[in-house]
Amino acid sequence: MTDAEAGTDVTRPRDLIGYGRHLPQVRWPNGAKVAVNFVINYEEGSEHYERLGDRSTDRMAELNWYLPSPHRDFAMEAVYEYGSRAGIWRLLNLFGDYSVPVTFFATGMALELNREVAAAIGELGHEPCSHGYRWSEPWHMSREEEAEQIQRAIESIRETTGTRPVGWYWRYSSTPWTRELLVDDGGFLYDSETYNDDLPYFTNVSGRRHLVIPYTQTYNDTRFAVAEGGFGSPTDFFDYMRRGLDELHREGEAGFPKMMTIGLHARLAGQAGRANAVREFIEYALGKGDVWFARRDSIATWWIDHSAEWL
């Protein structure tokens, strides 16, 4: 078995050092101390689903059971349908109340199944970032199969939203060749295929400079759906986000601004009580001041255009 077949990426060695003690003195627009990016993961209708040939329905929800194939799980389907029917509109209205732009980690299939959401992304000034065509397990794909899936997702999202995605994030871990395929495509500003930093950074892919904007599983509403280490209430979610912002803001005041990503899902944070915690956080951040609410592509463009000033 080759290194690639075993899942070892010999062309992408691990970097355990990063910026280290030599943190860049980043300058965000208008002197912001923290750049805050909200991500809405929009996946409803493309999740693991036995009627699409999957072994079972997905388990990342608030039910304490799931049904294996060939049984249709109407209860789990309904949890996801809440996100596309109600939760997404609550979140969009909430962000609209404060003119906060967000990034959508959207699957092509989900947007095809709800074209009103796809249209709203562009109409309301949000960013479509590709989350694949549907929930897939890329490590089962060959390089050629993954390349086909990347192109299928690009074309689907372009068709439904009117905008070509310039960022990429698989739901699951990427493959040894994901980043090379994105760079070879030539149309991506960044990928978010990692969780390893509080700042964007450049990496070398096939001799070309490529920007990475790390994502998070920390400030993420999926922790409402896990038994251990999860959020017990919207108050816990708000307090965790507030504490994160406070500490990052303190670091920014000391001359080393960072980035904070907050991951949301329409079926989870779109529930009224949790959406209220998101609203409370936005109002807290606005009151604190010196916070730049930005789309990921805006952060990417700023970093590409200005990072030579601090790197």
Side-chain angles (χ1 to χ4, degrees), residues 195-209:
Y195 313 98
N196 63 4
D197 214 303
D198 295 313
L199 286 172
Y201 60 88
F202 290 110
T203 188
N204 185 289
V205 181
S206 302
R208 286 168 284 183
R209 190 176 74 161

Side-chain angles (χ1 to χ4, degrees), residues 16-246:
L16 297 172
I17 298 173
Y19 293 113
R21 65 172 64 186
H22 305 292
L23 289 172
Q25 293 185 295
V26 177
R27 290 187 292 278
W28 296 126
N30 300 314
K33 302 299 185 291
V34 187
V36 174
N37 168 245
F38 283 100
V39 170
I40 297 177
N41 293 264
Y42 189 73
E43 310 146 331
E44 283 73 7
S46 71
E47 73 274 10
H48 283 164
Y49 182 34
E50 60 85 20
R51 296 188 73 198
L52 293 176
D54 298 319
R55 291 185 296 274
S56 69
T57 50
D58 195 75
R59 309 180 199 183
M60 185 57 71
E62 297 169 275
L63 304 180
N64 59 2
W65 74 88
Y66 73 98
L67 299 183
S69 180
H71 306 288
R72 186 172 176 186
D73 193 335
F74 291 101
M76 191 69 76
E77 289 178 27
V79 169
Y80 283 84
E81 289 165 10
Y82 183 89
S84 62
R85 291 164 59 103
I88 189 60
W89 301 111
R90 176 171 291 116
L91 290 177
L92 285 172
N93 289 335
L94 187 159
F95 288 115
D97 288 344
Y98 303 95
S99 299
V100 170
V102 305
T103 295
F104 272 76
F105 283 179
T107 64
M109 178 184 284
L111 294 180
E112 290 175 0
L113 294 171
N114 194 334
R115 289 176 177 264
E116 281 192 88
V117 172
I121 291 173
E123 292 169 5
L124 299 176
H126 303 306
E127 174 200 2
C129 173
S130 182
H131 202 19
Y133 180 70
R134 63 160 301 211
W135 278 8
S136 304
E137 297 173 345
W139 59 87
H140 292 311
M141 301 178 191
S142 68
R143 185 186 182 106
E144 292 71 25
E145 289 169 337
E146 185 175 6
E148 291 173 1
Q149 287 296 306
I150 289 172
Q151 293 306 312
R152 185 180 187 186
I154 291 170
E155 293 308 316
S156 174
I157 294 170
R158 190 203 316 261
E159 192 272 325
T160 57
T161 67
T163 301
R164 187 231 140 92
V166 297
W168 184 275
Y169 174 74
W170 276 121
R171 186 203 183 201
Y172 298 104
S173 179
S174 55
T175 68
W177 44 78
T178 297
R179 191 160 283 162
E180 290 180 5
L181 291 172
L182 298 178
V183 171
D184 289 345
D185 171 78
F188 287 98
L189 283 178
Y190 70 92
D191 77 63
S192 292
E193 290 292 328
T194 192
Y195 313 98
N196 63 4
D197 214 303
D198 295 313
L199 286 172
Y201 60 88
F202 290 110
T203 188
N204 185 289
V205 181
S206 302
R208 286 168 284 183
R209 190 176 74 161
H210 176 67
L211 184 65
V212 178
I213 302 182
Y215 186 49
T216 184
Q217 294 294 337
T218 301
Y219 306 105
N220 195 304
D221 67 359
T222 54
R223 296 180 63 181
F224 282 113
V226 297
E228 296 184 11
F231 297 125
S233 73
T235 300
D236 293 338
F237 190 30
F238 166 71
D239 185 62
Y240 201 44
M241 291 188 289
R242 178 188 62 80
R243 288 179 181 275
L245 180 67
D246 283 350

Side-chain angles (χ1 to χ4, degrees), residues 245-258:
L245 180 67
D246 283 350
E247 193 64 22
L248 291 170
H249 202 284
R250 181 187 296 271
E251 293 173 8
E253 290 173 342
F256 300 98
K258 305 293 195 319

